[in-house]
Amino acid sequence: MNRQLVTLTRVVIHPKYRGAGLASLFVRRSCESCAWPWIEALAEMGKVNPFFERAGFVRVGKVAMQSGRSVEEHSRIYGGKRRDGQRVRVSDETHRKSRYAEPEYFVFDNRG
C-alpha cells in the first residue's frame, strides 16, 4: 500500500497570495505530476474550507478521534516522518491543542 499512496502534509502560501486560487492550482498540478497513483490529505479546516476539493481531491470522510488518545497515538496521525523513516513525535503543546480534532480525510486519484 505504501508504494501506492503518499500523504500531502503541509500547504503554505505567502499571505500576499492567499485567496487568489493559486494554492489549489499549485497542489493540483503538483499531484498530477507526481509518481504516486494516490495522494491523501487530512485537514481540520476541511469542514468549512473546500481547498482540497478545488485542488481535485475527493472528501472521503472524517477521522474520528478519541479524546483519550496518547501523544504516541496522536503522533502516528499528525507526526509525519523524517527522511530517515523515523516517526516524528508531536509536541505536548500540539497534542493538547489538537487532541479533540476530527480532521476531514481527502484522496486524490492520480491514476489517470
Side-chain angles (χ1 to χ4, degrees):
M1 182 71 170
N2 288 337
R3 286 181 266 160
Q4 300 290 314
L5 179 74
V6 68
T7 303
L8 175 62
T9 57
R10 183 103 24 177
V11 178
V12 180
I13 189 164
H14 191 281
K16 182 176 171 181
Y17 301 105
R18 290 181 188 159
L22 297 175
S24 58
L25 181 62
F26 174 76
V27 167
R28 176 187 285 273
R29 297 292 183 252
S30 297
C31 289
E32 290 171 345
S33 66
C34 82
W36 285 276
W38 299 96
I39 298 105
E40 67 178 355
L42 291 171
E44 180 62 31
M45 291 300 294
K47 297 175 188 108
V48 295
N49 186 343
F51 170 76
F52 282 109
E53 283 105 341
R54 285 195 309 268
F57 283 72
V58 173
R59 181 187 313 255
V60 177
K62 71 177 180 176
V63 178
M65 301 294 282
Q66 299 167 355
S67 60
R69 195 175 293 268
S70 71
V71 174
E72 288 71 29
E73 291 172 313
H74 203 79
S75 295
R76 282 195 286 276
I77 297 169
Y78 292 105
K81 289 184 183 177
R82 298 187 317 218
R83 289 178 186 244
D84 64 5
Q86 294 294 316
R87 285 250 168 230
V88 177
R89 184 179 185 271
V90 297
S91 69
D92 290 334
E93 180 181 5
T94 297
H95 179 252
R96 190 175 59 254
K97 288 179 178 178
S98 60
R99 67 180 172 228
Y100 300 108
E102 291 188 334
E104 296 292 316
Y105 182 68
F106 297 90
V107 176
F108 185 89
D109 183 350
N110 198 33
R111 294 177 294 170

